[in-house]
Coordinates of all heavy atoms in Angstrom, one line a residue:
R23 N -19.0 -4.7 -13.4 CA -18.3 -3.6 -12.6 C -17.1 -4.2 -11.9 O -17.1 -5.4 -11.5 CB -19.2 -3.0 -11.6 CG -20.4 -2.3 -12.2 CD -21.3 -1.6 -11.2 NE -20.6 -0.6 -10.4 CZ -20.5 0.7 -10.7 NH1 -21.0 1.1 -11.9 NH2 -19.9 1.5 -10.0
V24 N -16.0 -3.4 -11.8 CA -14.9 -3.8 -11.1 C -15.2 -3.7 -9.6 O -15.5 -2.6 -9.1 CB -13.6 -3.0 -11.4 CG1 -12.4 -3.3 -10.6 CG2 -13.3 -3.1 -12.9
V25 N -15.1 -4.9 -8.9 CA -15.4 -4.9 -7.4 C -14.3 -5.3 -6.6 O -14.4 -5.3 -5.3 CB -16.7 -5.7 -7.2 CG1 -17.9 -5.2 -7.8 CG2 -16.4 -7.2 -7.6
G26 N -13.2 -5.7 -7.2 CA -12.0 -6.1 -6.4 C -10.7 -6.1 -7.2 O -10.8 -6.2 -8.4
C27 N -9.6 -5.9 -6.6 CA -8.4 -5.8 -7.3 C -7.2 -6.2 -6.4 O -7.3 -5.9 -5.2 CB -8.2 -4.3 -7.7 SG -7.0 -4.1 -9.0
S28 N -6.2 -6.8 -6.9 CA -5.1 -7.3 -6.1 C -3.9 -7.5 -7.0 O -4.0 -7.7 -8.3 CB -5.4 -8.6 -5.4 OG -4.3 -9.0 -4.6
S29 N -2.7 -7.5 -6.5 CA -1.4 -7.7 -7.2 C -0.5 -8.4 -6.2 O -0.5 -8.1 -5.0 CB -0.8 -6.4 -7.6 OG 0.5 -6.6 -8.2
D30 N 0.3 -9.3 -6.7 CA 1.3 -10.0 -5.9 C 2.7 -9.3 -6.0 O 3.7 -9.8 -5.5 CB 1.4 -11.5 -6.2 CG 2.0 -11.8 -7.6 OD1 2.3 -10.9 -8.3 OD2 2.0 -13.0 -7.9
D31 N 2.7 -8.1 -6.6 CA 3.9 -7.3 -6.8 C 4.1 -6.5 -5.5 O 3.3 -5.6 -5.3 CB 3.8 -6.4 -8.0 CG 5.1 -5.7 -8.3 OD1 6.2 -6.1 -7.8 OD2 5.1 -4.8 -9.2
P32 N 5.1 -6.8 -4.7 CA 5.2 -6.1 -3.4 C 5.2 -4.6 -3.4 O 4.5 -3.9 -2.6 CB 6.6 -6.6 -2.8 CG 6.7 -7.9 -3.4 CD 6.1 -7.8 -4.8
P33 N 5.8 -3.9 -4.4 CA 5.7 -2.4 -4.4 C 4.3 -1.9 -4.7 O 4.0 -0.8 -4.5 CB 6.7 -2.0 -5.6 CG 7.6 -3.2 -5.8 CD 6.8 -4.4 -5.4
Q34 N 3.4 -2.8 -5.2 CA 2.1 -2.4 -5.5 C 1.1 -2.7 -4.5 O -0.1 -2.6 -4.6 CB 1.6 -2.9 -6.9 CG 2.4 -2.4 -8.0 CD 1.8 -2.7 -9.4 OE1 0.9 -3.5 -9.5 NE2 2.3 -2.1 -10.4
R35 N 1.5 -3.3 -3.4 CA 0.6 -3.6 -2.3 C 0.1 -2.3 -1.6 O 0.8 -1.3 -1.7 CB 1.4 -4.5 -1.3 CG 1.9 -5.8 -1.9 CD 0.9 -6.8 -2.4 NE 0.2 -7.3 -1.2 CZ -0.8 -8.2 -1.4 NH1 -1.1 -8.7 -2.5 NH2 -1.4 -8.6 -0.3
L36 N -1.0 -2.5 -0.9 CA -1.6 -1.3 -0.3 C -0.7 -0.5 0.6 O -0.6 0.7 0.6 CB -2.8 -1.7 0.5 CG -3.6 -0.6 1.3 CD1 -4.1 0.5 0.3 CD2 -4.7 -1.2 2.1
G37 N 0.1 -1.2 1.5 CA 1.0 -0.5 2.4 C 2.0 0.4 1.7 O 2.2 1.5 2.1
Q38 N 2.6 -0.2 0.7 CA 3.6 0.6 -0.1 C 3.0 1.7 -0.8 O 3.6 2.8 -0.9 CB 4.4 -0.4 -1.1 CG 5.2 -1.4 -0.4 CD 6.3 -0.8 0.5 OE1 6.9 0.2 0.2 NE2 6.5 -1.3 1.7
Y39 N 1.8 1.5 -1.3 CA 1.1 2.6 -2.0 C 0.8 3.7 -1.0 O 1.1 4.9 -1.4 CB -0.3 2.0 -2.5 CG -1.2 3.1 -3.1 CD1 -1.0 3.5 -4.4 CD2 -2.2 3.7 -2.3 CE1 -1.8 4.5 -4.9 CE2 -3.0 4.7 -2.9 CZ -2.8 5.1 -4.2 OH -3.6 6.1 -4.7
L40 N 0.4 3.4 0.2 CA 0.1 4.5 1.2 C 1.4 5.2 1.6 O 1.4 6.4 1.9 CB -0.6 3.9 2.4 CG -2.0 3.4 2.1 CD1 -2.6 2.7 3.3 CD2 -2.9 4.6 1.7
I41 N 2.5 4.5 1.7 CA 3.8 5.1 2.0 C 4.2 6.1 0.9 O 4.6 7.2 1.1 CB 4.9 4.1 2.3 CG1 4.7 3.4 3.6 CG2 6.3 4.7 2.2 CD1 5.6 2.2 3.9
S42 N 4.0 5.6 -0.3 CA 4.4 6.5 -1.5 C 3.6 7.7 -1.6 O 4.0 8.7 -2.2 CB 4.4 5.7 -2.8 OG 3.0 5.4 -3.2
R43 N 2.4 7.7 -1.0 CA 1.5 8.8 -1.0 C 1.6 9.7 0.2 O 0.9 10.7 0.4 CB 0.0 8.4 -1.2 CG -0.3 7.7 -2.4 CD 0.0 8.5 -3.7 NE -0.4 7.9 -4.9 CZ 0.4 7.1 -5.6 NH1 1.5 6.7 -5.2 NH2 -0.1 6.7 -6.8
G44 N 2.6 9.3 1.1 CA 2.8 10.1 2.3 C 1.7 9.9 3.4 O 1.6 10.7 4.3
R45 N 0.9 8.8 3.3 CA -0.2 8.6 4.2 C 0.3 7.7 5.4 O -0.4 7.6 6.4 CB -1.4 8.0 3.5 CG -2.0 8.8 2.5 CD -2.7 10.0 3.2 NE -3.7 9.6 4.1 CZ -4.2 10.2 5.1 NH1 -3.7 11.3 5.5 NH2 -5.1 9.7 5.9
L46 N 1.4 7.0 5.2 CA 2.0 6.1 6.3 C 3.5 6.3 6.3 O 4.1 6.6 5.2 CB 1.7 4.7 6.0 CG 0.3 4.0 6.2 CD1 0.4 2.5 5.9 CD2 -0.2 4.3 7.6
T47 N 4.0 6.0 7.4 CA 5.5 5.9 7.5 C 5.8 4.4 7.5 O 5.0 3.6 7.7 CB 6.0 6.5 8.8 OG1 5.5 5.7 9.9 CG2 5.6 8.0 9.0
P48 N 7.1 4.1 7.2 CA 7.4 2.6 7.2 C 7.2 2.0 8.6 O 6.8 0.8 8.7 CB 8.9 2.7 6.8 CG 9.1 3.9 6.0 CD 8.2 4.9 6.6
E49 N 7.4 2.8 9.6 CA 7.2 2.2 11.0 C 5.7 1.9 11.2 O 5.3 0.9 11.8 CB 7.7 3.2 12.1 CG 9.2 3.5 12.0 CD 9.6 4.4 10.9 OE1 8.8 5.2 10.4 OE2 10.8 4.3 10.5
Q50 N 4.8 2.8 10.7 CA 3.4 2.6 10.9 C 3.0 1.4 10.1 O 2.1 0.6 10.6 CB 2.6 3.8 10.4 CG 2.7 5.0 11.4 CD 2.2 6.3 10.8 OE1 2.3 6.6 9.6 NE2 1.5 7.1 11.6
L51 N 3.5 1.2 8.9 CA 3.2 0.0 8.1 C 3.6 -1.2 8.8 O 2.9 -2.2 8.9 CB 3.8 0.1 6.7 CG 3.6 -1.1 5.8 CD1 2.2 -1.4 5.6 CD2 4.3 -0.9 4.5
R52 N 4.9 -1.2 9.4 CA 5.3 -2.4 10.1 C 4.4 -2.8 11.3 O 4.0 -3.9 11.5 CB 6.7 -2.2 10.7 CG 7.8 -2.5 9.6 CD 9.2 -2.6 10.3 NE 9.7 -1.3 10.8 CZ 10.3 -0.4 10.0 NH1 10.4 -0.6 8.7 NH2 10.7 0.7 10.6
D53 N 4.0 -1.7 12.0 CA 3.0 -1.9 13.1 C 1.7 -2.5 12.6 O 1.1 -3.4 13.2 CB 2.7 -0.6 13.9 CG 3.9 -0.2 14.7 OD1 4.9 -0.9 14.9 OD2 3.9 1.0 15.1

């Protein structure tokens, strides 16, 4: 089973993913 996942590609990091989905603002990510 897949139990973990990661990427070193900055646009694919969790924070950028959440911004692209409208769940975070860039300011919230910085904080």
Side-chain angles (χ1 to χ4, degrees):
R23 293 182 66 86
V24 175
V25 296
C27 196
S28 183
S29 172
D30 65 2
D31 188 13
Q34 294 192 351
R35 304 293 294 183
L36 177 61
Q38 293 301 318
Y39 174 84
L40 292 170
I41 287 174
S42 72
R43 299 300 184 273
R45 295 294 298 154
L46 283 184
T47 66
E49 295 77 23
Q50 290 170 323
L51 176 58
R52 276 194 293 278
D53 291 345

